[in-house]
Amino acid sequence: MKTTILTLALLFLVGLAEPLYSAEAAIHLGVSLHPSHIQIGADFNGAQIAVTGRVPSGASALVRLTGPPEDRHLKQKGRALGVLWMNLGSVEISNVPSVFLLYLPKADAPSPAKRPPAWQSLGLGLKGLAAKAAIVAADTDQATIFNEFVKLKEKSGLYGVMPNVVHYGPDDGIQKTFQATLALPAALPQGDYHIAVLAIQDGAVSTSAIQTIDARETGMPAWISAMAFNHGTLYGVLAVVVAVIAGLTTGILFKDKGGAH
């Protein structure tokens, strides 16, 4: 009798746990990347990463690529006495990612005529980085410094928010598929990168998944980097020799045209 009651109790608990398990499985993103490795050679001109997966129905899918953290030491320029354009001091920015690229679906593109999308209020965009960044600068507003830093990064393609990149596929009422092609810049430094897929629903991140890709220099770029880090003196000498040869070659080529200018 006791055995029968215990068996029925276990079956009852399993029956309760099954819907919970099914609900948890329903929100599994199942993200995949292709390729998962990037080779940065002498002819590297950027790369594309295909991201596919599933998000809950009714959710928006955001894809965010971030590089390893870095510390940047920059020169602050300005006009001395309102006349001369020169270095006025130094700026240190730390606790910021080397690369920050956010890819959006069309519905989540920023629009001044509408309310800001949920991802902005959640601090998932560039403004969210400002709150985490540590900035050391003399007599300058930190918000201004950070905005200029972001502009510098955007110019090289290492920071940015790209709309209309994530596209949705079939929706079965529980989940919908998505796919996105991430365009990575030619200035991409080598390192390990995190690609996060964030499902935004009801003004919050309902679920997320993170995968890692690695970008590594190969061929001539790898040789130059190894030379610079492991044989600094020899690298400096070779750099001077190359500069001298380039100068002499330019002078010879333009000699018959009145000299180089």
Side-chain angles (χ1 to χ4, degrees), residues 43-54:
D43 59 347
F44 181 74
N45 194 32
Q48 290 188 336
I49 302 292
V51 183
T52 57
R54 301 181 300 274

Side-chain angles (χ1 to χ4, degrees), residues 91-212:
V91 176
E92 296 181 14
I93 302 178
S94 57
N95 198 32
V96 290
S98 56
V99 180
F100 183 93
L101 299 172
L102 183 64
Y103 305 87
L104 309 175
K106 182 177 181 180
D108 288 319
S111 173
K114 299 179 180 179
R115 293 174 53 190
W119 59 266
Q120 286 188 348
S121 60
L122 293 172
L124 300 177
L126 291 169
K127 290 184 179 180
L129 297 180
K132 301 176 182 178
I135 302 174
V136 178
D139 302 326
T140 305
D141 180 68
Q142 292 192 355
T144 301
I145 291 293
F146 187 78
N147 288 338
E148 293 301 318
F149 168 73
V150 169
K151 290 179 182 179
L152 184 65
K153 284 286 196 175
E154 287 177 331
K155 189 174 182 180
S156 61
L158 298 177
Y159 274 28
V161 177
M162 278 64 69
N164 307 328
V165 175
V166 180
H167 302 280
Y168 299 120
D171 188 336
D172 62 7
I174 299 176
Q175 290 182 323
K176 60 185 176 184
T177 62
F178 75 89
Q179 66 87 20
T181 300
L182 314 186
L184 307 185
L188 189 78
Q190 71 170 349
D192 295 327
Y193 294 86
H194 296 298
I195 294 181
V197 176
L198 309 167
I200 310 298
Q201 192 169 19
D202 299 326
V205 179
S206 62
T207 184
S208 63
I210 299 178
Q211 293 202 25
T212 302

Side-chain angles (χ1 to χ4, degrees), residues 57-76:
S57 296
S60 297
L62 275 64
V63 181
R64 186 178 63 191
L65 182 145
T66 54
E70 67 173 0
D71 299 334
R72 293 296 300 272
H73 300 271
L74 306 173
K75 294 296 183 181
Q76 182 180 351

Side-chain angles (χ1 to χ4, degrees), residues 227-249:
M227 178 70 69
F229 283 102
N230 301 325
H231 307 283
T233 302
L234 179 58
Y235 175 80
V237 172
L238 290 176
V240 172
V241 171
V242 170
V244 170
I245 293 175
L248 292 175
T249 303

